């Protein structure tokens, strides 16, 4: 039986992330999910953007493409469209996914293409010094909002749901077991899947917002999580009923669990059907008008 170590490039250690950062834990959960599913390294493609979490591919022994900032999903879409049999995973920070790459995110979800997006949402741009991003809560202090952020944040899960993703889940870096289980489910989804992991950035977001030590930030994730769905303590959320408060500041509750799971045809299924129709038309048959 394989373990996360089968997918970890130990030669690349030590990890570059700051002490107390959530990225190492997310990496371990992801590689553990690969092991649970027994993914073949040669059939797995990890695509990253740029940023602290975007460095994750340095430590992963599968195929990998280190993309450009905000374009991980564009690259991943190309890979999956051309080779639908591959498992394609896009690793993005909230800057990558929801800010510079926001348009690729909504269109990947709308297409329902079979890519799994693992978003480390640390509520700011970590790598470049803690600027605000598209998920920074109102009132938060960042290096570009030293007196409090004025804009509403995206709720990534609501965005993905509204755009058409089949599988949408949120967890935190603290909830290691739940994180791994959600990743396993997401990786098996034929359509677009999102696992948003709310993750601590003690170096910038935590320090600017006086959230205490790294361990206090981790404890806060534990305390603020409100689990829904299987294993949760509250009623399961139905599709269209995500009740996460998106703009209640940096210490707001975090709704976690499998938030959306539905079975609309994926991009690959629809595309294969169109290809078959086109092939029949090429052989002289009437095109199917449906
Ligand atoms: C097109 C482009 N714009 C800006 C940058 C500079 N840049 C590198 S990483 C980064 C922010 C990363 O933040 P995020 O995606 O949230 O990831 P994190 O570092 O927080 O994990 C920025 C703005 C870049 N590399 N490319
Ligand atoms: S700057 Fe923040 S996100 Fe980047 S490695 Fe350090 S703690 Fe992690």
């Amino acid at each position: 039986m394989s373990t996360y170590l089968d997918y970890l490039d130990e030669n690349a250690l030590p990890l570059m992330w700051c002490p107390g950062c959530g990225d190492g834990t997310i990496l371990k959960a992801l590689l553990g999910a690969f092991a649970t599913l027994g993914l073949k390294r040669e059939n797995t493609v990890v695509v990253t953007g740029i940023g602290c979490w975007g460095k994750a591919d340095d430590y992963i022994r599968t195929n990998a493409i280190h993309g450009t900032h905000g374009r991980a999903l564009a690259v991943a879409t190309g890979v999956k469209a051309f080779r639908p049999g591959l498992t394609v995973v896009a690793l993005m920070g909230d800057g990558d996914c929801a800010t510079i790459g926001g348009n690729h995110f909504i269109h990947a979800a709308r297409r329902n293409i079979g890519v799994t997006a693992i978003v480390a949402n640390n509520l700011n741009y970590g790598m470049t010094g803690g600027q605000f991003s598209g998920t920074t809560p109102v009132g938060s202090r960042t290096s570009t909002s030293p007196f409090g952020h004025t804009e509403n944040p995206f709720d990534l899960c609501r965005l993905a749901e509204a755009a058409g993703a089949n599988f949408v889940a949120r967890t935190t870096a603290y909830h290691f077991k739940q994180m791994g289980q959600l990743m396993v489910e997401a990786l098996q989804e034929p359509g677009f899947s999102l696992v948003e992991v709310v993750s601590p950035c003690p170096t910038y977001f935590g320090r600017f917002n006086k959230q205490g030590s790294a361990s206090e930030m981790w404890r806060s994730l534990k305390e603020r999580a409100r689990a829904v769905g299987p294993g949760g303590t509250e009623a399961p959320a139905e599709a269209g009923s995500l009740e996460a408060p998106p703009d209640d500041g940096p210490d707001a509750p975090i709704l976690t669990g499998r938030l959306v799971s539905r079975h609309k045809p994926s991009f690959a299924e629809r595309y294969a059907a169109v290809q078959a129709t086109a092939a029949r038309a090429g052989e002289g048959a009437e095109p199917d008008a449906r």
Side-chain angles (χ1 to χ4, degrees):
M1 205 181 114
S2 56
T3 73
Y4 80 95
L5 290 170
D6 294 307
Y7 301 89
L8 178 72
D9 184 355
E10 291 177 89
N11 296 323
L13 298 178
L15 302 172
M16 54 87 56
W17 298 307
C18 306
C21 178
D23 288 352
T25 307
I26 306 172
L27 176 67
K28 187 174 179 188
L30 179 66
L31 302 190
F34 287 179
T36 300
L37 294 170
L39 296 186
K40 285 195 161 52
R41 293 205 300 262
E42 62 272 26
N43 291 341
T44 306
V45 184
V46 170
V47 184
T48 59
I50 303 292
C52 295
W53 179 229
K55 290 287 285 177
D57 62 288
D58 287 6
Y59 310 107
I60 301 178
R61 292 172 65 222
T62 63
N63 298 292
I65 303 174
H66 195 67
T68 54
H69 196 38
R71 302 296 180 261
L73 279 172
V75 175
T77 296
V79 174
K80 187 69 182 182
F82 188 61
R83 295 284 301 278
L86 298 175
T87 299
V88 183
V89 187
L91 308 184
M92 298 170 287
D94 42 291
D96 247 332
C97 171
T99 318
I100 188 170
N103 212 34
H104 293 293
F105 180 64
I106 56 173
H107 287 285
R110 176 184 63 79
R111 269 183 207 114
N112 205 21
I113 190 153
V115 170
T116 297
I118 307 289
V119 179
N121 184 3
N122 58 20
L123 311 176
N124 72 168
Y125 285 3
M127 179 165 270
T128 44
Q131 296 84 1
F132 62 73
S133 78
T135 63
T136 302
V138 173
S140 304
R141 294 173 193 274
T142 69
S143 60
T144 41
S145 60
F147 301 104
H149 189 43
T150 51
E151 302 172 7
N152 294 318
F154 279 129
D155 178 323
L156 292 182
C157 290
R158 283 173 183 258
L159 197 56
E161 182 202 22
N166 263 5
F167 182 90
V168 177
R170 185 188 293 113
T171 184
T172 85
Y174 176 87
H175 296 85
F176 184 76
K177 193 171 166 200
Q178 180 192 49
M179 180 166 39
Q181 286 167 347
L182 293 171
M183 287 175 177
V184 166
E185 288 185 49
L187 288 164
Q188 295 178 92
E189 167 56 51
F192 187 74
S193 54
L194 164 69
V195 179
E196 176 190 356
V197 185
V198 181
S199 182
C201 173
T203 302
Y204 293 114
F205 194 84
R207 188 159 51 90
F208 290 143
N209 289 284
K210 299 192 176 7
Q211 292 186 320
S213 64
S215 52
E216 284 170 308
M217 288 186 76
W218 284 81
R219 190 175 308 117
S220 161
L221 290 177
K222 176 187 177 191
E223 288 167 358
R224 288 188 289 133
R226 304 280 181 272
V228 299
T233 55
E234 298 183 9
E238 300 298 331
S241 67
L242 303 182
E243 295 300 338
D247 54 3
D248 287 351
D251 299 313
I254 304 166
L255 190 72
T256 65
R258 186 204 303 133
L259 305 176
V260 175
S261 180
R262 55 192 171 191
H263 305 287
K264 290 186 301 176
S266 68
F267 174 85
E269 290 166 75
R270 286 191 171 145
Y271 197 75
V274 168
Q275 277 180 314
T277 305
R280 284 200 303 278
E283 290 160 6
E286 283 295 310
D288 186 342
R290 277 177 299 173

